[in-house]
């Protein structure tokens, strides 16, 4: 992909740069977008699920990393890598309360 094509894609999707993810709250199905570049390969990646809710608890993060660990390790050209980096990494994630559908505790 030429530098002109990269600039056009960045402008089209409102991105600030290559490998700079952006949340997309108005997209009908995906929660984030990034123009990923690794070596000479440039790829537009949409990641995350709008219906994912807000449960970024310690347990939820551990579960996500266990389910998607293989895909996260694939690097910058995988959607799981960007979802992990933008939504699931860090000490606390979202401070919003989870929706009532996610408040169920097992065994209670």
């Amino acid at each position: 992909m030429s530098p002109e094509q990269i600039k056009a894609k960045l402008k089209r999707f409102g991105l600030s740069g290559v490998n700079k993810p952006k949340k997309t709250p108005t997209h009908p199905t995906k929660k984030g977008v990034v123009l990923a570049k690794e070596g000479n390969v440039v790829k537009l990646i949409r990641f995350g699920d709008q219906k994912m809710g807000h449960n970024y608890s310690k347990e939820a993060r551990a579960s996500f990393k266990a389910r998607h660990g293989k895909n996260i390790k694939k690097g910058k050209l995988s959607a799981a890598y960007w979802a992990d980096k933008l939504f699931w990494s860090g000490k606390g994630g979202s401070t919003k309360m989870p929706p009532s559908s996610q408040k169920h505790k097992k065994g209670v």
Side-chain angles (χ1 to χ4, degrees), residues 1 6 18-19 35-44 76-77:
M1 191 176 276
I6 292 173
V18 176
N19 293 334
L35 190 64
K37 181 177 181 181
E38 196 166 50
N40 291 332
V41 180
V42 179
K43 189 175 174 184
L44 183 75
K76 293 179 181 178
L77 296 180

Side-chain angles (χ1 to χ4, degrees), residues 19-54:
N19 293 334
K20 305 258 185 189
K22 175 185 172 182
K23 291 182 181 179
T24 55
T26 58
H27 191 271
T29 58
K30 295 299 179 183
K31 208 168 190 172
V33 66
V34 66
L35 190 64
K37 181 177 181 181
E38 196 166 50
N40 291 332
V41 180
V42 179
K43 189 175 174 184
L44 183 75
I45 299 174
R46 290 193 180 274
F47 57 92
D49 187 1
Q50 286 290 16
K51 298 175 187 170
M52 188 165 54
H54 305 290

Side-chain angles (χ1 to χ4, degrees), residues 53-64:
H54 305 290
N55 186 6
Y56 297 106
S57 67
K58 185 177 179 181
E59 296 82 13
R61 284 196 311 277
S63 181
F64 175 84

